[in-house]
Coordinates of all heavy atoms in Angstrom, one line a residue:
M1 N 0.9 -1.2 0.0 CA 0.0 0.0 0.0 C 0.9 1.2 0.0 O 1.9 1.3 0.7 CB -0.9 0.0 1.2 CG -1.9 1.0 1.3 SD -3.0 1.0 2.7 CE -3.8 -0.5 2.7
S2 N 0.5 2.2 -0.8 CA 1.4 3.4 -0.9 C 1.3 4.2 0.4 O 0.3 4.1 1.2 CB 1.0 4.2 -2.1 OG -0.3 4.8 -1.9
Q3 N 2.2 5.1 0.5 CA 2.2 6.0 1.7 C 1.1 7.0 1.7 O 0.5 7.3 2.8 CB 3.6 6.8 1.8 CG 4.7 5.9 2.1 CD 6.0 6.7 2.3 OE1 6.1 7.9 1.8 NE2 7.0 6.1 2.8
V4 N 0.7 7.4 0.5 CA -0.5 8.3 0.4 C -1.8 7.6 0.9 O -2.5 8.1 1.7 CB -0.7 8.8 -1.0 CG1 -1.9 9.6 -1.2 CG2 0.6 9.6 -1.4
M5 N -1.9 6.4 0.5 CA -3.1 5.6 0.9 C -3.1 5.3 2.4 O -4.1 5.4 3.1 CB -3.2 4.3 0.1 CG -3.6 4.5 -1.3 SD -5.2 5.2 -1.5 CE -6.2 3.9 -0.9
R6 N -1.9 5.0 3.0 CA -1.8 4.8 4.4 C -2.2 6.1 5.2 O -2.9 6.0 6.2 CB -0.4 4.3 4.8 CG -0.1 2.9 4.4 CD 1.2 2.5 4.9 NE 1.5 1.2 4.4 CZ 2.7 0.7 4.2 NH1 3.8 1.5 4.5 NH2 2.9 -0.5 3.7
A7 N -1.7 7.2 4.7 CA -2.0 8.5 5.4 C -3.5 8.8 5.3 O -4.1 9.2 6.3 CB -1.2 9.6 4.7
R8 N -4.1 8.5 4.2 CA -5.5 8.8 4.1 C -6.3 7.8 5.0 O -7.3 8.3 5.6 CB -6.0 8.6 2.6 CG -5.5 9.7 1.8 CD -6.1 9.6 0.4 NE -5.6 10.7 -0.5 CZ -5.8 10.8 -1.8 NH1 -6.5 9.8 -2.4 NH2 -5.4 11.8 -2.5
M9 N -6.0 6.6 5.0 CA -6.7 5.6 5.9 C -6.5 6.0 7.4 O -7.4 5.9 8.1 CB -6.1 4.2 5.6 CG -6.5 3.6 4.3 SD -8.3 3.4 4.1 CE -8.6 2.1 5.2
R10 N -5.3 6.4 7.7 CA -5.0 6.8 9.1 C -5.8 8.0 9.5 O -6.4 8.1 10.6 CB -3.5 7.1 9.3 CG -3.1 7.3 10.7 CD -1.6 7.5 10.9 NE -0.8 6.6 10.2 CZ 0.0 6.8 9.2 NH1 0.2 8.1 8.8 NH2 0.8 5.9 8.7
A11 N -5.9 9.0 8.6 CA -6.7 10.2 8.9 C -8.2 9.8 9.0 O -8.9 10.4 9.9 CB -6.5 11.2 7.8
L12 N -8.7 8.9 8.2 CA -10.1 8.5 8.2 C -10.3 7.8 9.6 O -11.3 8.1 10.2 CB -10.4 7.6 7.1 CG -11.8 7.0 7.0 CD1 -12.8 8.2 6.8 CD2 -11.9 6.0 5.9
V13 N -9.5 6.8 9.9 CA -9.7 6.1 11.2 C -9.6 7.0 12.4 O -10.4 6.9 13.3 CB -8.7 4.9 11.2 CG1 -8.8 4.2 12.6 CG2 -9.0 3.9 10.2
C14 N -8.6 7.8 12.4 CA -8.4 8.7 13.6 C -9.6 9.7 13.7 O -10.0 10.0 14.8 CB -7.1 9.5 13.4 SG -5.7 8.4 13.7
G15 N -10.1 10.2 12.5 CA -11.3 11.1 12.6 C -12.5 10.4 13.1 O -13.3 10.9 13.9
V16 N -12.7 9.1 12.7 CA -13.9 8.3 13.2 C -13.7 8.1 14.7 O -14.7 8.3 15.5 CB -14.0 7.0 12.5 CG1 -15.0 6.1 13.2 CG2 -14.4 7.3 11.0
L17 N -12.5 7.7 15.2 CA -12.3 7.5 16.6 C -12.5 8.8 17.4 O -13.1 8.8 18.5 CB -10.9 6.9 16.8 CG -10.7 5.5 16.3 CD1 -9.3 5.1 16.5 CD2 -11.6 4.5 16.9
T18 N -12.0 9.9 16.9 CA -12.2 11.2 17.6 C -13.7 11.5 17.7 O -14.1 12.0 18.7 CB -11.4 12.3 16.8 OG1 -10.0 11.9 16.8 CG2 -11.5 13.6 17.6
A19 N -14.4 11.3 16.6 CA -15.8 11.6 16.6 C -16.6 10.8 17.6 O -17.5 11.2 18.3 CB -16.4 11.4 15.2
R20 N -16.1 9.5 17.8 CA -16.8 8.6 18.7 C -16.5 9.0 20.2 O -17.3 8.7 21.0 CB -16.4 7.2 18.4 CG -17.0 6.6 17.2 CD -16.6 5.1 17.1 NE -17.2 4.6 15.8 CZ -16.9 3.4 15.4 NH1 -16.0 2.7 16.0 NH2 -17.4 3.0 14.2
K21 N -15.3 9.6 20.4 CA -14.9 9.9 21.8 C -15.6 11.1 22.3 O -15.4 11.5 23.4 CB -13.4 10.0 21.8 CG -12.7 8.8 21.7 CD -11.2 9.0 21.8 CE -10.4 7.7 21.6 NZ -9.0 7.9 21.6
G22 N -16.4 11.8 21.5 CA -17.1 13.0 22.0 C -16.7 14.3 21.4 O -17.0 15.3 21.9
A23 N -16.0 14.2 20.2 CA -15.6 15.5 19.6 C -16.9 16.2 19.1 O -16.9 17.4 19.0 CB -14.7 15.2 18.4
W24 N -17.9 15.4 18.8 CA -19.2 16.0 18.5 C -20.1 16.0 19.7 O -20.7 15.0 20.0 CB -19.9 15.2 17.3 CG -19.1 15.3 16.1 CD1 -18.2 16.2 15.7 CD2 -19.2 14.3 15.0 NE1 -17.7 15.9 14.4 CE2 -18.3 14.7 14.0 CE3 -19.9 13.2 14.8 CZ2 -18.1 14.0 12.8 CZ3 -19.8 12.5 13.6 CH2 -18.9 12.9 12.7
S25 N -20.1 17.1 20.4 CA -20.9 17.1 21.7 C -22.4 17.3 21.4 O -23.2 17.0 22.3 CB -20.4 18.2 22.6 OG -20.5 19.4 22.0
D26 N -22.8 17.7 20.3 CA -24.2 18.0 20.0 C -24.8 16.7 19.3 O -24.8 16.6 18.1 CB -24.3 19.2 19.0 CG -25.8 19.5 18.8 OD1 -26.6 19.2 19.7 OD2 -26.1 20.2 17.8
S27 N -25.3 15.8 20.2 CA -25.8 14.6 19.6 C -27.3 14.6 19.9 O -27.8 14.9 21.0 CB -25.2 13.4 20.3 OG -25.4 13.4 21.6
G28 N -28.1 14.3 18.9 CA -29.6 14.3 19.1 C -30.2 15.6 18.7 O -29.5 16.6 18.4
M29 N -31.5 15.6 18.8 CA -32.3 16.8 18.4 C -32.8 17.5 19.7 O -33.1 16.8 20.7 CB -33.4 16.5 17.5 CG -33.0 16.0 16.1 SD -34.4 15.9 15.0 CE -35.6 14.9 15.7
V30 N -33.0 18.8 19.6 CA -33.6 19.5 20.7 C -35.1 19.5 20.5 O -35.6 19.1 19.4 CB -33.1 20.9 20.8 CG1 -31.6 21.0 21.1 CG2 -33.3 21.7 19.5
T31 N -35.9 20.0 21.4 CA -37.3 19.9 21.4 C -37.9 20.7 20.2 O -38.9 20.2 19.6 CB -37.9 20.5 22.7 OG1 -37.3 19.8 23.8 CG2 -39.4 20.4 22.8
S32 N -37.3 21.8 19.9 CA -37.9 22.5 18.7 C -37.7 21.7 17.4 O -38.6 21.8 16.5 CB -37.2 23.9 18.6 OG -35.8 23.8 18.4
E33 N -36.6 21.0 17.3 CA -36.4 20.2 16.1 C -37.4 19.0 16.1 O -37.9 18.7 15.0 CB -35.0 19.7 16.1 CG -34.0 20.8 15.8 CD -32.5 20.3 15.9 OE1 -32.3 19.3 16.7 OE2 -31.7 20.9 15.3
Y34 N -37.7 18.4 17.2 CA -38.7 17.4 17.3 C -40.1 18.0 16.9 O -40.8 17.4 16.1 CB -38.9 16.8 18.7 CG -37.8 15.8 19.0 CD1 -36.9 16.0 20.0 CD2 -37.8 14.6 18.3 CE1 -36.0 15.0 20.4 CE2 -36.8 13.6 18.6 CZ -35.9 13.9 19.7 OH -35.0 12.9 20.0
A35 N -40.4 19.2 17.3 CA -41.7 19.8 17.0 C -41.8 20.1 15.5 O -42.8 19.8 14.9 CB -41.8 21.1 17.8
M36 N -40.7 20.6 14.9 CA -40.7 20.8 13.5 C -40.9 19.5 12.7 O -41.5 19.5 11.7 CB -39.5 21.6 13.1 CG -39.4 23.0 13.6 SD -40.9 24.0 13.2 CE -40.7 24.1 11.4
G37 N -40.2 18.5 13.2 CA -40.3 17.2 12.5 C -41.7 16.6 12.6 O -42.3 16.1 11.6
I38 N -42.4 16.8 13.7 CA -43.8 16.3 13.9 C -44.7 17.2 13.0 O -45.6 16.6 12.3 CB -44.2 16.4 15.3 CG1 -43.4 15.3 16.1 CG2 -45.7 16.2 15.5 CD1 -43.6 15.4 17.6
V39 N -44.5 18.5 12.9 CA -45.3 19.3 12.1 C -45.2 18.9 10.6 O -46.2 18.8 9.9 CB -45.0 20.8 12.3 CG1 -45.6 21.7 11.2 CG2 -45.4 21.3 13.7
A40 N -44.0 18.7 10.2 CA -43.7 18.2 8.8 C -44.4 16.9 8.5 O -45.0 16.7 7.5 CB -42.2 18.2 8.5
A41 N -44.3 16.0 9.5 CA -44.9 14.6 9.3 C -46.4 14.7 9.2 O -47.0 14.0 8.4 CB -44.4 13.7 10.4
V42 N -47.0 15.5 10.1 CA -48.4 15.7 10.0 C -48.9 16.3 8.7 O -49.9 15.9 8.1 CB -48.9 16.5 11.3 CG1 -50.4 16.9 11.1 CG2 -48.7 15.7 12.5
G43 N -48.1 17.3 8.3 CA -48.5 18.0 7.0 C -48.4 17.0 5.9 O -49.3 17.0 5.0
F44 N -47.4 16.2 5.8 CA -47.3 15.2 4.8 C -48.4 14.2 4.9 O -49.0 13.7 3.9 CB -45.9 14.4 4.9 CG -45.7 13.4 3.9 CD1 -45.5 13.7 2.6 CD2 -45.8 12.0 4.2 CE1 -45.3 12.7 1.6 CE2 -45.6 11.1 3.3 CZ -45.4 11.4 2.0
A45 N -48.8 13.8 6.1 CA -49.9 12.8 6.3 C -51.2 13.4 5.8 O -52.0 12.7 5.1 CB -50.0 12.4 7.7
I46 N -51.4 14.7 6.0 CA -52.6 15.3 5.6 C -52.7 15.3 4.0 O -53.7 15.0 3.4 CB -52.8 16.7 6.2 CG1 -53.0 16.6 7.7 CG2 -53.9 17.5 5.5 CD1 -53.0 17.9 8.4
V47 N -51.6 15.7 3.4 CA -51.6 15.7 1.9 C -51.8 14.3 1.4 O -52.5 14.2 0.4 CB -50.2 16.4 1.5 CG1 -50.1 16.2 0.0 CG2 -50.2 17.8 1.8
L48 N -51.1 13.4 2.0 CA -51.2 12.0 1.5 C -52.7 11.5 1.6 O -53.2 10.8 0.7 CB -50.3 11.1 2.2 CG -50.2 9.6 1.8 CD1 -49.8 9.5 0.3 CD2 -49.3 8.8 2.7
H49 N -53.3 11.8 2.8 CA -54.7 11.4 3.0 C -55.6 12.1 1.9 O -56.5 11.4 1.4 CB -55.1 11.8 4.4 CG -56.5 11.4 4.7 ND1 -57.6 12.3 4.5 CD2 -57.1 10.3 5.1 CE1 -58.7 11.7 4.9 NE2 -58.4 10.5 5.2
Q50 N -55.4 13.3 1.6 CA -56.2 14.0 0.6 C -56.1 13.4 -0.7 O -57.0 13.2 -1.5 CB -55.9 15.5 0.6 CG -56.3 16.3 1.8 CD -57.8 16.3 2.0 OE1 -58.5 16.4 1.1 NE2 -58.2 16.2 3.3
V51 N -54.9 13.0 -1.1 CA -54.6 12.4 -2.4 C -55.3 11.0 -2.5 O -55.9 10.7 -3.4 CB -53.1 12.3 -2.7 CG1 -52.8 11.4 -3.9 CG2 -52.5 13.7 -2.9
V52 N -55.1 10.2 -1.4 CA -55.6 8.8 -1.5 C -57.1 8.8 -1.4 O -57.7 7.9 -2.0 CB -55.0 8.0 -0.3 CG1 -55.6 6.7 -0.2 CG2 -53.5 7.8 -0.6
T53 N -57.7 9.7 -0.7 CA -59.2 9.7 -0.6 C -59.9 10.5 -1.7 O -61.1 10.6 -1.7 CB -59.6 10.3 0.7 OG1 -59.1 11.6 0.9 CG2 -59.2 9.4 1.9
S54 N -59.1 11.1 -2.7 CA -59.7 11.8 -3.8 C -60.5 10.8 -4.7 O -60.2 9.6 -4.7 CB -58.7 12.6 -4.6 OG -57.8 11.7 -5.3
G55 N -61.4 11.3 -5.4 CA -62.3 10.5 -6.2 C -61.5 9.7 -7.3 O -61.8 8.5 -7.5
A56 N -60.6 10.3 -8.0 CA -59.8 9.6 -9.0 C -59.0 8.5 -8.5 O -59.0 7.4 -9.1 CB -58.9 10.6 -9.8
V57 N -58.3 8.7 -7.4 CA -57.4 7.7 -6.8 C -58.3 6.6 -6.3 O -58.0 5.4 -6.4 CB -56.5 8.3 -5.8 CG1 -55.7 7.2 -5.0 CG2 -55.6 9.3 -6.4
T58 N -59.4 6.9 -5.6 CA -60.2 5.9 -5.1 C -60.8 5.0 -6.2 O -60.8 3.7 -6.0 CB -61.4 6.5 -4.3 OG1 -60.8 7.3 -3.2 CG2 -62.3 5.5 -3.6
A59 N -61.2 5.6 -7.3 CA -61.7 4.8 -8.4 C -60.7 3.9 -9.0 O -61.0 2.7 -9.3 CB -62.3 5.7 -9.4
E60 N -59.5 4.4 -9.1 CA -58.4 3.6 -9.7 C -58.0 2.4 -8.8 O -57.8 1.3 -9.2 CB -57.1 4.4 -9.9 CG -57.3 5.4 -11.1 CD -57.4 4.6 -12.4 OE1 -56.7 3.6 -12.6 OE2 -58.2 5.1 -13.3
L61 N -58.0 2.7 -7.5 CA -57.7 1.6 -6.5 C -58.8 0.6 -6.5 O -58.5 -0.6 -6.5 CB -57.5 2.2 -5.1 CG -56.2 2.9 -4.9 CD1 -56.2 3.6 -3.5 CD2 -55.0 2.1 -5.0
Q62 N -60.0 1.0 -6.6 CA -61.2 0.1 -6.6 C -61.1 -0.8 -7.9 O -61.3 -2.0 -7.9 CB -62.5 0.8 -6.5 CG -63.7 -0.1 -6.4 CD -65.0 0.7 -6.2 OE1 -65.0 1.9 -6.1 NE2 -66.1 0.0 -6.0
D63 N -60.8 -0.2 -9.0 CA -60.7 -0.9 -10.3 C -59.6 -1.9 -10.2 O -59.7 -3.0 -10.7 CB -60.5 0.1 -11.4 CG -60.4 -0.6 -12.8 OD1 -61.4 -1.4 -13.1 OD2 -59.5 -0.3 -13.5
L64 N -58.5 -1.5 -9.6 CA -57.3 -2.4 -9.5 C -57.7 -3.6 -8.7 O -57.3 -4.8 -9.0 CB -56.1 -1.7 -8.9 CG -54.9 -2.4 -8.7 CD1 -54.2 -2.8 -10.0 CD2 -53.9 -1.7 -7.8
V65 N -58.3 -3.4 -7.6 CA -58.7 -4.5 -6.7 C -59.7 -5.4 -7.4 O -59.6 -6.7 -7.3 CB -59.3 -4.0 -5.3 CG1 -60.0 -5.1 -4.5 CG2 -58.2 -3.3 -4.5
E66 N -60.7 -4.9 -8.1 CA -61.7 -5.7 -8.8 C -61.0 -6.5 -9.9 O -61.3 -7.7 -10.1 CB -62.8 -4.8 -9.4 CG -63.7 -4.3 -8.4 CD -64.8 -3.4 -9.0 OE1 -64.8 -3.2 -10.2 OE2 -65.6 -2.8 -8.2
R67 N -60.1 -5.9 -10.6 CA -59.4 -6.7 -11.7 C -58.5 -7.8 -11.0 O -58.5 -8.9 -11.6 CB -58.5 -5.8 -12.5 CG -59.2 -5.0 -13.5 CD -58.3 -4.3 -14.5 NE -57.8 -3.1 -13.7 CZ -56.5 -2.6 -13.9 NH1 -55.7 -3.2 -14.8 NH2 -56.1 -1.6 -13.2
A68 N -57.9 -7.6 -9.9 CA -57.1 -8.6 -9.2 C -58.0 -9.7 -8.7 O -57.6 -10.9 -8.8 CB -56.4 -8.0 -8.0
L69 N -59.2 -9.4 -8.2 CA -60.1 -10.4 -7.7 C -60.7 -11.3 -8.8 O -61.0 -12.4 -8.6 CB -61.2 -9.8 -6.9 CG -60.8 -9.2 -5.5 CD1 -62.0 -8.5 -4.9 CD2 -60.2 -10.3 -4.6
H70 N -60.9 -10.7 -10.0 CA -61.5 -11.4 -11.1 C -60.4 -12.0 -12.1 O -60.8 -12.5 -13.1 CB -62.4 -10.5 -11.9 CG -63.6 -10.1 -11.1 ND1 -63.7 -9.0 -10.3 CD2 -64.8 -10.7 -10.9 CE1 -64.8 -8.9 -9.7 NE2 -65.6 -10.0 -10.0
A71 N -59.2 -11.9 -11.8 CA -58.1 -12.4 -12.6 C -58.1 -14.0 -12.6 O -58.4 -14.6 -11.6 CB -56.8 -11.9 -12.2
R72 N -57.8 -14.5 -13.8 CA -57.7 -16.0 -13.8 C -56.3 -16.4 -13.5 O -55.3 -15.8 -13.8 CB -58.0 -16.5 -15.2 CG -59.5 -16.3 -15.6 CD -59.8 -17.0 -16.9 NE -61.2 -17.0 -17.1 CZ -61.8 -17.6 -18.1 NH1 -61.0 -18.2 -19.0 NH2 -63.1 -17.5 -18.3
V73 N -56.2 -17.5 -12.7 CA -54.9 -18.0 -12.3 C -54.5 -19.2 -13.2 O -55.2 -20.0 -13.6 CB -55.0 -18.5 -10.8 CG1 -53.7 -19.0 -10.4 CG2 -55.5 -17.3 -10.0

C-alpha cells in the first residue's frame, strides 16, 4: 500500500475514533427540532390522505382490486 493511501486511511480512522470519543458534543435533536419534524410529518400525512381519498385515486384503486379479484390463475 502506498504511503499516500496509508496516510488517508490513518486520517479517516483517527477522525472516526475522535468523533466517537465525543468530539461532536451535539448529539440528538432539541425539542424545537422534534416539534418541526412532527409538524412536517403531520403535514405530509394530511396531503397523502387528501390524495388517497380523492375520487380519481379511489376509483383507480377500486378498479385495480376488482381486476385482481377477477383475474384468472
Side-chain angles (χ1 to χ4, degrees):
M1 187 181 297
S2 72
Q3 289 182 345
V4 174
M5 288 298 292
R6 283 186 188 153
R8 287 183 180 173
M9 290 296 290
R10 189 177 310 116
L12 178 65
V13 170
C14 290
V16 169
L17 292 177
T18 303
R20 286 185 183 169
K21 288 181 182 176
W24 295 338
S25 62
D26 186 22
S27 61
M29 293 193 304
V30 294
T31 305
S32 61
E33 290 172 333
Y34 279 117
M36 292 304 295
I38 290 171
V39 168
V42 169
F44 179 72
I46 290 171
V47 170
L48 185 61
H49 180 266
Q50 292 295 323
V51 169
V52 171
T53 57
S54 69
V57 174
T58 303
E60 288 295 323
L61 288 174
Q62 186 174 0
D63 184 50
L64 179 69
V65 169
E66 287 179 5
R67 282 188 286 146
L69 290 175
H70 294 94
R72 289 188 175 186
V73 181

